[in-house]
Amino acid sequence: MTAPDLSIVMLSWNTRDLTCAALDALRRCAEVSSLTYEIIVLDNASDDDSVAVIGERFPEVRLYRNDENLGYARGVNQGLELATGRFICLLGSDTAVRPGTFEHMVDFLDQHEDVGGVAPRLVNPDGSPQRACMRFPDLKVALWYDTWLEERWPKNRVLDHYHYRDWIHDEDRSVDQPPGTCFMVRREVYEAVGPMARRLWLFFNDVDWSLRIRKAGWDIWYLHQNTEVLHHLGASTSRFAHFPFEWHKNRLHYYRKHYHIFGTLIVKAAIVYVGLREVLKIRRQLEDKREFRAHASQVLGAMGRVLI
């Protein structure tokens, strides 16, 4: 059996309607495309009827259901292992790809052998652009991000540089870290750098993967021209109840992996600051001491679990 041009890997977790809308958009793309598609959907133990609805409405999709929520990195790794295409695209379930986008991304990769991955232009439902590319977070970012320094000097060069505020995403260009919402790589890239880091359960997995791709010698590009993907920003992660806890935990592991003892100490100090700041905020909001102690202990307990 001939391998498809493109394998599309999508995770779904309690996003039935969004996932169906994303698959409807992919179906429209496939109808007018010169590429051959393979769509792989991995359901991370949704407790709605996502699997039944997707299976009925989209029989062309390779649909798999996990018995538990394995998180983003492990779920994506399942899809990467199953993918057979020349190119592999990680696609969020909260997206709608416009026809012609994938063709342009594939053409760009075919024409630029030194480029290992590309990401398209993302837009909000009102058509406005999403400036989603980032530079890799370094030790200076760890010192400034969500700490007293940022509160004291919210406009600063460190975070402006980190967020690419010197660029308005209005042109094609090489970037550090594109949004993982829609990220296409060559099969050789996946085979060279391997799967995503399992310990980065929900966040920073795409940052780590992009950094490893860069270190392996591949360039990464953002393609503004001739691409468009509608993205319902935050529609997937907002359903995750332990968002802040997991974000800090994954951030700490990223810095421990790439910056070792110095990164670990700086990020842990930042986490302690954030935790104490939240406790003081709760104290100002709650006059009842018993209620304050209950809420404060939850915050401090979560902070302790992250630090450990």
Side-chain angles (χ1 to χ4, degrees):
M1 184 177 178
T2 304
D5 297 311
L6 177 61
S7 295
I8 301 166
V9 176
M10 181 184 297
L11 297 191
S12 178
W13 181 67
N14 293 326
T15 54
R16 179 197 61 204
D17 294 341
L18 285 171
T19 303
C20 287
L23 293 174
D24 274 328
L26 290 179
R27 183 179 280 171
R28 290 192 293 272
C29 289
E31 288 173 351
V32 297
S33 179
S34 58
L35 301 173
T36 52
Y37 287 15
E38 169 187 58
I39 303 173
I40 301 168
V41 175
L42 298 115
D43 184 87
N44 252 340
S46 296
D47 53 22
D48 59 13
D49 58 352
S50 293
V51 173
V53 172
I54 294 170
E56 180 179 353
R57 287 185 54 183
F58 303 95
E60 71 272 24
V61 168
R62 295 174 60 188
L63 178 61
Y64 302 85
R65 185 185 188 279
N66 290 321
D67 294 330
E68 60 177 313
N69 188 347
L70 300 179
Y72 183 80
R74 290 177 64 189
V76 163
N77 288 345
Q78 287 180 311
L80 291 172
E81 189 173 349
L82 292 166
T84 62
R86 246 186 353 121
F87 300 97
I88 305 172
C89 184
L90 309 183
L91 184 66
S93 62
D94 51 359
T95 62
V97 180
R98 305 304 190 201
T101 294
F102 286 147
E103 287 78 5
H104 184 68
M105 294 167 75
V106 166
D107 286 345
F108 189 90
L109 288 171
D110 276 336
Q111 294 169 20
H112 299 82
E113 295 182 356
D114 61 324
V115 178
V118 292
R121 176 168 59 101
L122 300 182
V123 299
N124 296 305
D126 64 1
S128 59
Q130 290 181 11
R131 300 182 185 181
C133 294
M134 307 278 280
R135 289 187 172 93
F136 294 125
D138 57 16
L139 291 176
K140 289 184 291 185
V141 171
L143 280 169
W144 280 83
Y145 190 89
D146 200 22
T147 67
W148 176 84
L149 289 174
E150 184 182 11
E151 292 180 3
R152 180 66 178 82
W153 294 284
K155 294 183 179 180
N156 59 82
R157 292 182 181 179
V158 172
L159 296 185
D160 284 349
H161 182 78
Y162 173 51
H163 289 290
Y164 271 118
R165 289 177 182 145
D166 55 340
W167 170 54
I168 60 173
H169 288 57
D170 60 346
E171 61 182 344
D172 294 0
R173 66 169 288 175
S174 174
V175 297
D176 282 356
Q177 173 207 336
T181 304
C182 184
F183 186 30
M184 184 185 295
V185 300
R186 302 175 183 273
R187 166 163 293 282
E188 307 96 275
V189 167
Y190 165 56
E191 293 173 347
V193 304
M196 287 190 169
R198 291 163 55 96
R199 291 191 64 183
L200 296 171
W201 198 82
L202 188 60
F203 303 103
F204 285 86
N205 35 61
D206 53 340
V207 188
D208 174 78
W209 212 45
S210 296
L211 182 58
R212 287 157 52 200
I213 291 171
R214 281 283 189 176
K215 287 183 175 180
W218 301 91
D219 202 356
I220 298 173
W221 273 66
Y222 165 85
L223 304 181
H224 178 80
Q225 301 294 331
N226 302 314
T227 67
E228 183 175 297
V229 175
L230 170 65
H231 180 217
H232 300 278
L233 187 63
S236 297
T237 53
S238 63
R239 298 169 182 265
F240 186 64
H242 302 291
F243 182 108
F245 169 81
E246 196 63 36
W247 187 86
H248 284 291
K249 180 180 177 181
N250 293 168
R251 181 184 185 224
L252 177 58
H253 179 71
Y254 175 86
Y255 271 93
R256 181 184 290 122
K257 177 179 179 180
H258 294 288
Y259 292 98
H260 313 297
I261 185 65
F262 291 109
T264 300
L265 291 175
I266 292 172
V267 173
K268 282 190 173 183
I271 292 170
V272 170
Y273 173 79
V274 169
L276 295 178
R277 183 185 64 194
E278 291 303 308
V279 169
L280 290 175
K281 185 186 298 183
I282 293 170
R283 185 69 186 92
R284 290 192 294 267
Q285 294 173 346
L286 298 176
E287 296 182 1
D288 185 274
K289 292 184 179 180
R290 183 177 299 177
E291 190 176 1
F292 161 69
R293 284 195 295 268
H295 284 78
S297 65
Q298 290 179 354
V299 172
L300 295 175
M303 182 181 71
R305 289 191 294 274
V306 171
L307 294 174
I308 293 172

